[in-house]
Amino acid sequence: MKPKSQQSLQLYNIMLRLGYPEEFADIVTKNLNTDFTATRMMGYLYRYSNPRLEDVADEMLAILDDRNRIMEKKELEEINKKWNEFLHTGIPDEEE
């Protein structure tokens, strides 16, 4: 697993200050180990007062799902770009 980013470390400290168990905060920040995902979770924690562990876990899964969709979309866009480049360069005739 990737090491924690600066934002993930900040999220970890925020979760401890809010009273979440250390083991839970560690699990959340190991999964939300990028600045993008950790920042999203911090936003969630600031919007809602004292969410239950289950709600934080659900939000973590939703953030990871969104991140995966974004990564998949970028990958498909790159494949589509390469495909279009291939089509526009022309396919040589087999008879040539």
Side-chain angles (χ1 to χ4, degrees), residues 3-44:
K4 294 179 184 178
S5 70
Q6 286 296 337
Q7 293 294 91
S8 291
L9 294 172
Q10 185 178 353
L11 171 60
Y12 178 81
N13 291 324
I14 289 169
M15 291 183 74
L16 293 181
R17 275 199 320 267
L18 292 173
Y20 292 101
E22 186 176 342
E23 184 179 4
F24 181 70
D26 188 51
I27 290 168
V28 169
T29 55
K30 279 183 179 173
N31 282 285
L32 303 179
N33 59 1
T34 65
D35 287 346
F36 173 75
T37 56
T39 300
R40 288 216 21 215
M41 180 58 83
M42 284 189 280
Y44 172 80

Side-chain angles (χ1 to χ4, degrees), residues 83-96:
W83 176 249
N84 285 328
E85 287 172 358
F86 173 76
L87 290 177
H88 291 338
T89 59
I91 303 171
D93 287 336
E94 291 182 25
E95 296 175 12
E96 291 181 14

Side-chain angles (χ1 to χ4, degrees), residues 70-85:
I70 290 167
M71 290 172 60
E72 184 177 292
K73 180 180 181 237
K74 287 184 179 193
E75 183 180 336
L76 291 173
E77 286 172 347
E78 185 63 29
I79 291 169
N80 190 44
K81 178 184 168 192
K82 288 179 181 178
W83 176 249
N84 285 328
E85 287 172 358

